[in-house]
Amino acid sequence: MSAPTAQNAANTTNTGDAGNTDSARASLEALRTEIAKAVVGQDPAVTGLVVALLCRGHVLLEGVPGVAKTLLVRALAASLELDTKRVQFTPDLMPSDITGSLVYDARTAEFSFQPGPVFTHLLLADEINRTPPKTQSALLEAMEERQVTVDGTPRSLPDPFLVAATQNPVEYEGTYPLPEAQLDRFLLKLTVPLPSRDDEVDVLTRHAQGFNPRDLQAAGVRPVAGPADLEAARAAVEGTTVTPEIAGYVVDICRATRESPSLALGVSPRGATALLSTARAWAWLTGRDYVTPDDVKALALPTLRHRVQLRPEAEMEGVTADSVITAILAHVPVPR
C-alpha cells in the first residue's frame, strides 16, 4: 500500500492547525541549536530526548563518565520553559527523598505533605544505578502513572513530566543494576559515545575561550519552546497516519525478538507500542504526517535494546542486544 503524499495531507489539514503544527515543529527543532551551544555533537541523544517529550516517555542515558550526559539534560531544561530538578542517586537515598513525605507541623498539630523533587516537569535522575532497588522502585509509579502515593493518598505530577536518568556502564562496584520492570518504564535507552576527534577539539576550544558548563545562561542557552508548543506537537504526532502494514511490520520485528535463539527475553507488546509511538514522533519531526518503515528502523535500537535479555551463552560469545536487533531488522520483510 502506498503512503499518502504530503500534498494530500495538506489538502485535508486546516490552515490554522497547520500553522500551529509548523510553529511547534520549528520550536522543537530550535532546541537543537540551543543545546549545541553547550553540548558538542551527540545529535542522536538530543533527538531521543525530543522524541521522548513528544511521546510522554522517559529516557535512560548510558555512557562513560565525562561525555556530557548530565550537561545534555541540563541544556535541554534550559532550552524549555519547564521546571526542572536534579537528584543525585546515592546508596543512602531513601524513597521519601524523591517522592516527598508527611511532616508534622507543631503549630497546627497536623501532618502536611512536603513534595519531593519528583514534582517537576523534568527530573534528572543522576547515576540512578547507584541507589538500592527500594529507592529505584519509588520512581515506578511516578513514571508509569504520573502520580505518587504517600500515606495512601495519590498525588498527581505536573504535565509534562519526563525522567531523564543517567548511568555509567563500566563501573559495577557499588551499583545496583536496574531490574527489567524498571528498565521497561523507560521509553528509550540512549548510548552517549565518546566524541570524535574534531568534536573533542571543539570542546577544548570552547573551554579555552571561557565556556563554563555550570553557567548555561552565560553560554547563551535560552528557552525556545514551552508547554503550548509541546501540546501542539503532541497533538500533531497523535494525528500521524499509521497504515496496517506498518503496524504489522512493528509486530513482526517484536515477535522476531521472542523467537531469537540469542535472546532469553524478547520484546513485550508494551515494547511494540513504544516502537510505534517513537516512529510516529520521528516521522512528524522529519516533516511527514505518515510513518514509513525507515522511521521504524531509525528508532528500533534505542526503543528495544533495553527490553531484551541476552542468553548467557550468547553474551559470552560477545553478542550484544544491538547486534541481535540489527540482524532482525535485516531479515524481517519490509512492507511496500
Side-chain angles (χ1 to χ4, degrees):
M1 178 177 180
S2 61
T5 65
Q7 183 60 45
N8 289 339
N11 291 336
T12 59
T13 302
N14 179 272
T15 303
D17 291 343
N20 292 337
T21 297
D22 291 341
S23 175
R25 185 184 289 113
S27 296
L28 291 179
E29 283 295 329
L31 288 176
R32 298 173 181 273
T33 303
E34 295 304 306
I35 294 173
K37 295 177 181 178
V39 180
V40 178
Q42 308 299 2
D43 287 341
V46 173
T47 299
L49 286 167
V50 175
V51 166
L53 279 170
L54 291 174
C55 298
R56 295 179 171 85
H58 310 286
V59 174
L60 178 63
L61 295 165
E62 184 175 89
V64 299
V67 291
K69 299 186 298 296
T70 303
L71 180 59
L72 178 61
V73 178
R74 289 179 54 238
L76 173 67
S79 304
L80 294 166
E81 294 175 338
L82 301 175
D83 294 330
T84 180
K85 293 180 182 176
R86 173 182 175 177
V87 178
Q88 185 66 46
F89 280 68
T90 57
D92 60 348
L93 194 71
M94 299 297 292
S96 59
D97 294 330
I98 301 173
T99 61
S101 59
L102 295 176
V103 178
Y104 181 74
D105 190 341
R107 293 174 298 178
T108 61
E110 294 179 347
F111 285 93
S112 61
F113 177 68
Q114 297 296 319
V118 74
F119 286 88
T120 187
H121 292 123
L122 177 56
L123 177 67
L124 172 55
D126 218 357
E127 296 188 288
I128 189 173
N129 59 337
R130 289 198 174 278
T131 199
K134 180 179 180 181
T135 304
Q136 291 176 3
S137 64
L139 281 175
L140 282 176
E141 182 185 13
M143 294 170 67
E144 185 65 22
E145 305 295 336
R146 262 60 175 184
Q147 68 176 26
V148 295
T149 302
V150 178
D151 197 34
T153 302
R155 293 175 169 84
S156 297
L157 296 172
D159 185 41
F161 174 67
L162 167 71
V163 174
T166 69
Q167 71 175 12
N168 179 355
V170 295
E171 280 188 48
Y172 296 103
E173 187 174 348
T175 62
Y176 303 85
L178 297 176
E180 282 72 21
Q182 181 85 19
L183 284 171
D184 201 44
R185 296 306 194 276
F186 288 100
L187 179 71
L188 299 171
K189 180 181 178 182
L190 305 173
T191 57
V192 185
L194 290 166
S196 66
R197 184 183 185 279
D198 290 342
D199 285 344
E200 196 163 358
V201 169
D202 193 355
V203 170
L204 267 61
T205 302
R206 292 188 182 194
H207 279 265
Q209 294 172 348
F211 171 71
N212 182 0
R214 289 169 289 279
D215 189 355
L216 295 180
Q217 188 174 2
V221 181
R222 60 184 179 85
V224 293
D229 298 309
L230 198 52
E231 278 305 309
R234 286 174 169 178
V237 169
E238 290 173 358
T240 303
T241 301
V242 177
T243 64
E245 288 80 4
I246 291 296
Y249 182 51
V250 171
V251 169
D252 289 343
I253 291 172
C254 294
R255 292 181 67 86
T257 65
R258 303 169 203 164
E259 300 167 359
S260 171
S262 298
L263 299 178
L265 178 67
V267 177
S268 69
R270 189 200 323 229
T273 302
L275 179 54
L276 184 61
S277 178
T278 56
R280 292 175 81 183
W282 175 243
W284 180 81
L285 278 173
T286 53
R288 284 178 284 101
D289 64 349
Y290 58 90
V291 180
T292 69
D294 285 341
D295 299 323
V296 177
K297 288 183 176 182
L299 273 298
L301 285 179
T303 307
L304 303 182
R305 60 164 58 109
H306 57 297
R307 303 176 191 272
V308 299
Q309 190 176 58
L310 290 168
R311 293 187 182 277
E313 56 270 25
E315 199 166 2
M316 291 178 64
E317 293 173 0
V319 176
T320 65
D322 282 14
S323 65
V324 174
I325 295 171
T326 300
I328 288 173
L329 291 174
H331 287 89
V332 172
V334 179
R336 295 184 178 182

